[in-house]
Amino acid sequence: MGRRMTSEGYATITAEIAFLWEEERPRIVEEVYEAAQLGDRSENAAYIYGKKRLREIDSRLGFLRRQIENVQVIDLSQQRNRDTIDFGALVTLLNVSDDAPEDIEPVIYRIVDQMESDPAQNKLSIQSPLGRALMGKRIEDDVNLSLPKGPVIYEILNVQYGPESIEASSDLYSE
């Protein structure tokens, strides 16, 4: 089995590929062509920049295509609830470390691929230390992490699957 990726993450990457290949690259090719028509290319800034930009686009296209090669696309709406944490789960954690503040709120993460990871949206990479430590755990299990700032212990409060958003799940803990 290849790497797993949500259908949302897959769609985002394929949309970027389409934009670069169908819009951005043809536009830059046209700019390079027009700059080349001006003559001396050795001192032609538009030509030099355009060629550099084409290399960047081609490099990005190659990178993105490799990222979606052999991926297993997971539709979150088709996932069934289960007791253990796996890819796509919404996991509610509480920091229960000795030095954690008393009034600390639980945090909810969606377990996703590293290409989809976004801390600002609470999307946690399955390849991250915390993501790896959570795999296979259950509600009420503790997860011990050794971080540069010191050890951290999380208690797993909830595990759920499906398309429900992180915001909707966090409303359960804010009441």
Side-chain angles (χ1 to χ4, degrees), residues 30-41 44-48:
E30 182 63 30
E31 288 177 11
V32 169
Y33 173 77
E34 290 172 8
Q37 299 302 308
L38 299 175
D40 184 14
R41 296 176 187 170
N44 184 332
Y47 178 81
I48 293 168

Side-chain angles (χ1 to χ4, degrees), residues 111 124-137 143 145:
I111 308 296
L124 179 68
S125 166
I126 195 170
Q127 292 90 352
S128 70
L130 179 55
R132 284 192 312 265
L134 287 169
M135 291 301 104
K137 300 283 190 198
V143 177
L145 285 178

Side-chain angles (χ1 to χ4, degrees), residues 26 53 66 70 117 137 143 161 165 170-172:
R53 181 70 183 124
R66 283 188 302 278
N70 301 318
S117 176
K137 300 283 190 198
V143 177
Y161 289 86
S165 70
S170 64
D171 290 343
L172 298 173

Side-chain angles (χ1 to χ4, degrees), residues 10-171:
Y10 185 83
T12 300
I13 292 174
T14 55
E16 184 177 352
I17 289 171
F19 169 76
L20 290 172
W21 185 250
E22 298 167 8
E23 295 179 37
E24 185 72 3
R25 193 174 194 288
R27 184 179 64 77
I28 300 297
V29 166
E30 182 63 30
E31 288 177 11
V32 169
Y33 173 77
E34 290 172 8
Q37 299 302 308
L38 299 175
D40 184 14
R41 296 176 187 170
S42 65
E43 294 182 17
N44 184 332
Y47 178 81
I48 293 168
Y49 172 77
K51 293 293 281 188
K52 178 180 184 255
R53 181 70 183 124
L54 278 176
R55 285 190 300 274
E56 291 169 352
I57 290 170
D58 290 343
S59 175
R60 179 74 178 162
L61 281 167
F63 172 76
L64 292 171
R65 287 178 177 143
R66 283 188 302 278
Q67 294 308 304
I68 60 171
E69 217 172 67
N70 301 318
V71 296
Q72 178 187 3
V73 179
I74 305 293
D75 183 352
L76 297 178
S77 67
Q78 300 299 313
Q79 286 188 305
R80 287 187 161 66
N81 274 326
R82 51 191 174 273
D83 294 335
T84 58
I85 297 173
D86 198 1
F87 183 87
L90 270 175
V91 181
T92 306
L93 303 173
L94 181 64
N95 185 339
V96 294
S97 304
D98 292 337
D99 60 346
E102 291 293 323
D103 60 346
I104 194 163
E105 295 287 322
V107 64
I108 300 171
Y109 291 111
R110 168 83 66 190
I111 308 296
V112 297
D113 181 71
Q114 65 189 1
M115 285 294 293
E116 304 173 77
S117 176
D118 184 352
Q121 293 184 2
N122 289 35
K123 292 182 177 180
L124 179 68
S125 166
I126 195 170
Q127 292 90 352
S128 70
L130 179 55
R132 284 192 312 265
L134 287 169
M135 291 301 104
K137 300 283 190 198
R138 300 174 184 275
I139 293 175
E140 296 183 3
D141 283 353
D142 285 344
V143 177
N144 298 300
L145 285 178
S146 294
L147 301 176
K149 66 178 184 177
V152 178
I153 303 168
Y154 291 103
E155 180 183 352
I156 300 169
L157 301 179
N158 191 27
V159 177
Q160 67 186 61
Y161 289 86
E164 186 170 329
S165 70
I166 291 170
E167 293 80 23
S169 296
S170 64
D171 290 343

